[in-house]
Each structure stands twice: as structure tokens, then as C-alpha cells.
Amino acid sequence: MKLHHLACAIAFGGAMLISSQSYAGSGSFSTLSYNIAGTPTAYNGWDNTHTQIISCYVKPFDIVNVQEDFLWHAALYDTCDNHPYRTPTSGTAGIGDGLNTMSSFWFDDLDRVTWTNRADSDALTPKGFSLIRVRLAEGTYLDVYNLHAQSGTSSTDLTDSVSDVNQIVSYIEANSAGNAVLVYGDTNTRYTRVGQNIWEFLHRGFSDAWIQTIRGGSVPAVGSGDLVCGPTQTARPDCEIVDKVLWRGNGYLSLQAKAYVDHQDAVDSSGTQLSDHHPIEVDWTYATAASFALSDQFGGPHGTSYNDSSALPSTPVVKQLTIQTGNRVDHVEIALSNGYVFSHGGTGGTTQTLTLGNGEVLSSVNLCIDQYQGHTRVFSINFATSAGRHLSGGATTASCTTYTAPAGWQIAGFHGRSGDEVDKLGVVYAPVNTGTVPARQPQRLINRSSSLCMDVNGGTMADGTAVIQWSCNGGVNQTWSYDDQTGMIRSMADPHYCLDNNGTYGDGAQLIIWTCTGNNNQRFKYDASAGTIAVRSYPTEVIGMNGTSLGNQLLTATASGAAAQTWTLAQ
């Protein structure tokens, strides 16, 4: 069996060494989702004949996600397909998840996750989802998820289906924070089916390709009855299938589904369909924001992904750079002139800080990587400024690269992966701002009904601390900064932390603070006229009072127009 190993395109499991300074402005690609029924049944003739035909069928598409790729994986990869980048199989039925991706674009950061709750026939093989990070162009990355959810409509099946959706959206929030995301595969769900929750994706800012391109944005109502396709299955508004394609952008990379095709032509010589699912094609265009540009990333596939590009204000001015280093790079941090902080890595190492002068910007960074305990880490870092000053630390190695801001641009943030150290690092470039950017003034959020303030409970600045209602007392833990561009509300007691809906998109979400990640959990929309603070991706949910008692944790609820759901931003 022929396998295209990713190692040939990767330096130490993570970075492609590309020196060009050309940044993608726009482009296009195609995707195909196909449950190929790679199990022995009378439907496929009990052999690999259909899989061999499928191997040729999928060739023209740029990123192909297949499900149920079990017994005849070799036929899929070897017969006809020639995609240069392909995931290695996780094994046959009973061992592997049946999920594989074939891509015209280089990718890394492959991860496979098994569903937590599995029952009945779905427990016979480890169904779940996979993630790859696809490089569309220099610095332009797209997180692509492939999934095969559990089937059935019994009460147990529906419980497991709900668990599947909750598991993958929680994983996305934790591991694709700030990234553009594309999710497609066999969801075994319907928007109309009572007891399922595929709409959770929509509440988190995702769009569905069928809903947008075929139904004009109209989401089928839960309980309205299955939109059954009948004997001829086509891409039409009254025909909902379980193979779904969902996406969201991240402010830097935007995607648009231009065409949605439910293919009828995947048949053998007798006209028999090759699988019990049709292949679903979506054609895409993409564009990147003119206000930022990203370098590639350098390092390894460990730690958790981060991406500052989705959380930076429109005109960032870097005032301070901090690094923590020892034998390797433990931590990097940028502080902007408005007080916002972007911080990644652990707590170890020796701290060094460089405060930039007026008009001075970060112009380049040199990185070196190596192996530590089987993981690729960033071992050394050396920043240079436009004034010729440097801030450096760590231990240099033989594998290094330099990212240099284009003329008229500056390094204003980071993207990559980190845990207790920095595993992978790329930089976010922004145009040099020659004007004056005033410091962000701390403000209070005061409820118009109760006159109580939004308060970080006890002033404890830590992930998960409750945000409560309390008498306004001038405490710093009652000061916030709202950025209308990103929708993020930072605590000015410690701008590492943002207001967060705790991952709940519905009535009763308990508000907390959490390290600012740029995730949808942390994006709100303040309407100064109406006084409402809505969840940006689910604007029917707004922040309101929780009773009248001091210390009650603030909640979200369906917007009702009540005064208890209105707020004023005040100095």
C-alpha cells in the first residue's frame, strides 16, 4: 500500500520552511464528503470493486473527507487517487475510526478523537472525529474536521447523538480557538429531528452549506417533520440529508460556499450507487483581511492551538514585549498600548521585558527548534526592533528560521501551539500605525434596572471565576473594556481575562471570566441605544440580572426587552 507520509514536507513535525513574503488575498478550493461504506455488504458486492471506482471518483476534489474507510483502504489510496497529502489509516473495522482525508494542500496537527458515549452497534468500532490543520497559502490555515456520528433514533441513540455534538463543539472551542474551521462528514442528524442538537453549531457562529446555498439561509424548524428526499435525492430545500458541511471564519480568513452539489453520478457500470450515501461537493472561495497578514508556523504539533489574529483590535500598537526562557522558550507575551495582553505558554523560565519607544516596532523574530522528551519545541527566540534593539533567550539549535515584517508592517501578535512551553510559533503582522492610539479607558457595566455593576467575584483573576452582580464600589474588578470590532469584553483588573458564557448557548448560561482566546464564547455585541449585551453568534441570548440579591452570578436569557437586560457602559 502506498502512503504519502507527511514527514517529507515537515521540519520536526510542524513547520514548512517557506521564505516568500507573498500573502494570500483570496483563492478557491473544493471539498467532498463521502461515506464510502467500506464494509462487506451485499450493497457493495462484498468486495473492493466499488472502493476502486471511488478512488478514481474523488481525484478532482481538493480536500476529501471519507467515512467508513475500513476494509479496503488500500484500494482507496492505491487504485487511482493521487492526492499528495493523506492521513494514514487508523485501522480496519473494530480498530480504526474509518475516517480519512485526502488533500491537495499540505496539512499537519492530525488528531483523532473517539466519541465518549458509544452504545449498540456504534460501540463495535471507535467512531469519532478527526482534525487536520490545512495550509491554503502562506500563513493561511484552516482547521478541517471529519466526523462520523452515531446513528439511530431510539432514546439511547438520541442521547448519544446529543453527546457527540456537544463533544465536538467543546473540542473545537478548546482546540480551534481563534481559527477558521470547516466541519463535514456523516453527522447522522437532522435539524428537524426532535431530540438532536445539530443546531448547536449554528449557535456557535457556524453556517451550513446546504442551508445557505439551497435554502437561502432558512433553518428548518425542530419538530416540523423530516424533509424526506424520496427516491431521487437532489440538492433541494425540501431534502435534508445527514451528510452535512458547516463552517465559520475567524475575522482574518473568511469562507464562502459558492456551490453545493448532491452528486448522483457515483455509480458502477450497472448504474448502482457506489455507497448508501451520495458524495456531497461544496465549492468554496476564501479571502483574507487586508488589515493583517500571518507568517507560517515553526515548531511541533503538541500543545494547544492559539491565534491572536481574531482578537487583535483594528490598529494595534505594541508597547511591551515579554519572554520567559531557560533551555527553551517557555512563554511569549505582547502588551498593546490600550492595555490588551496576548500571552502564550507556561510559567517557567527567566522573565525578560522590552518596552518599545515611540515609533519603535517589532520588525523580526528568529526561532530555533529541536526535540525535547519526544516533542518538538521552540528552543530559542530573538526579536529585533526597528530601532535595532533585541530581546532574546533560550538555546540556539541547527534548525532555525526568521520571520521579518514587510516594509511598513510590524509584528503585532502570534499564532501557533503552546502548553507548559511554546511548541510552535508564527507571527501576526499589522500595518505600522503612525497616529496616536489612546489607552483604553476602564469602564463599568451598570445594569439600568438595578444600578448594580458587573463584578469579578472577589477580584479573583483566574479561569472560571464567576461574574456577579454587586453594588458599584469603584473596585478595579468592576472595570471592563469592550472592543466592538471583536466583541470581546476584557477585565481591566487583568486584561489576560475576558467575559465568557462558559460554553453554554441558551438560557441560564452562567457568566465567568476565562483567559482571552478569541473564541465565540467570548464574543458579544453591545447595543448602546437598546442597552443590550447579546451573544454575538446567537443574538437572541442577552445578559441580564439574576434576581435581585447581591452576589448572584449573571446569566444569559432570551431577549425580552426587560429593563433587567439592559446595561450602560460608564467611566
Side-chain angles (χ1 to χ4, degrees), residues 116-200:
T116 301
N117 295 331
R118 292 183 292 137
D120 305 326
S121 60
D122 287 312
L124 298 178
T125 197
K127 281 185 178 180
F129 60 91
S130 64
L131 161 66
I132 58 172
R133 187 152 289 125
V134 174
R135 180 187 183 275
L136 297 175
E138 182 176 357
T140 305
Y141 294 90
L142 175 64
D143 287 4
V144 176
Y145 286 81
N146 186 5
L147 80 159
H148 189 188
Q150 298 175 89
S151 59
T153 56
S154 71
S155 59
T156 299
D157 294 331
L158 293 177
T159 297
D160 289 342
S161 175
V162 168
S163 175
D164 291 352
V165 171
N166 288 338
Q167 184 179 347
I168 189 171
V169 296
S170 295
Y171 180 95
I172 290 170
E173 288 168 351
N175 294 276
S176 293
N179 293 340
V181 178
L182 181 58
V183 181
Y184 59 107
D186 181 357
T187 71
N188 276 310
T189 64
R190 294 180 181 272
Y191 289 102
T192 57
R193 185 172 291 158
V194 175
Q196 291 189 320
N197 62 336
I198 189 64
W199 38 261
E200 285 284 0

Side-chain angles (χ1 to χ4, degrees), residues 3 8 35 39 47 75 206 215 221 242 256 281 291 294 392 416 438 487 497-498 507 511 518 520:
L3 286 177
C8 65
N35 183 323
T39 55
D47 62 24
F206 282 83
R215 289 182 56 88
V242 299
Q256 184 62 50
E281 173 189 356
S291 55
L294 275 65
S392 63
Y497 295 95
C498 284
D507 290 357
L511 296 185
N520 267 46

Side-chain angles (χ1 to χ4, degrees), residues 308 310-313 334 336 338-343 440-443 445 454 456 461 476 478-483 486-499 513-518 522 524:
D308 294 341
S310 66
L312 283 167
I334 276 178
L336 303 184
N338 64 2
Y340 292 0
V341 177
F342 298 86
S343 181
R440 184 76 59 168
Q441 295 299 316
Q443 295 179 300
L445 279 163
M454 184 180 291
V456 177
M461 307 311 297
V476 68
Q478 295 182 348
T479 59
W480 305 87
S481 176
Y482 169 67
D483 180 18
T486 64
M488 299 171 73
I489 302 176
R490 290 179 182 262
S491 170
M492 295 310 284
D494 184 344
H496 290 89
Y497 295 95
C498 284
L499 187 68
I513 58 168
W514 198 268
T515 301
C516 300
T517 63
Q522 300 175 350
F524 300 87

Side-chain angles (χ1 to χ4, degrees), residues 427-553:
V427 296
V428 180
Y429 302 122
V432 173
N433 187 347
T434 57
T436 300
V437 179
R440 184 76 59 168
Q441 295 299 316
Q443 295 179 300
R444 295 176 297 163
L445 279 163
I446 305 171
N447 187 268
R448 294 181 181 179
S449 173
S450 67
S451 297
L452 297 180
C453 274
M454 184 180 291
D455 183 298
V456 177
N457 191 20
T460 302
M461 307 311 297
D463 287 344
T465 299
V467 175
I468 63 172
Q469 55 199 38
W470 197 261
S471 300
C472 298
N473 55 27
V476 68
N477 59 314
Q478 295 182 348
T479 59
W480 305 87
S481 176
Y482 169 67
D483 180 18
D484 187 63
Q485 175 185 310
T486 64
M488 299 171 73
I489 302 176
R490 290 179 182 262
S491 170
M492 295 310 284
D494 184 344
H496 290 89
Y497 295 95
C498 284
L499 187 68
D500 191 295
N501 74 355
N502 209 7
T504 300
Y505 292 77
D507 290 357
Q510 298 178 321
L511 296 185
I512 59 173
I513 58 168
W514 198 268
T515 301
C516 300
T517 63
N519 227 328
N520 267 46
N521 295 2
Q522 300 175 350
R523 296 183 185 273
F524 300 87
K525 179 64 178 179
Y526 176 63
D527 184 328
S529 176
T532 54
I533 305 173
V535 177
R536 182 164 287 200
S537 62
Y538 191 33
T540 59
E541 286 290 313
V542 299
I543 298 173
M545 296 292 293
N546 179 9
T548 58
S549 298
L550 294 180
N552 284 356
Q553 190 167 7

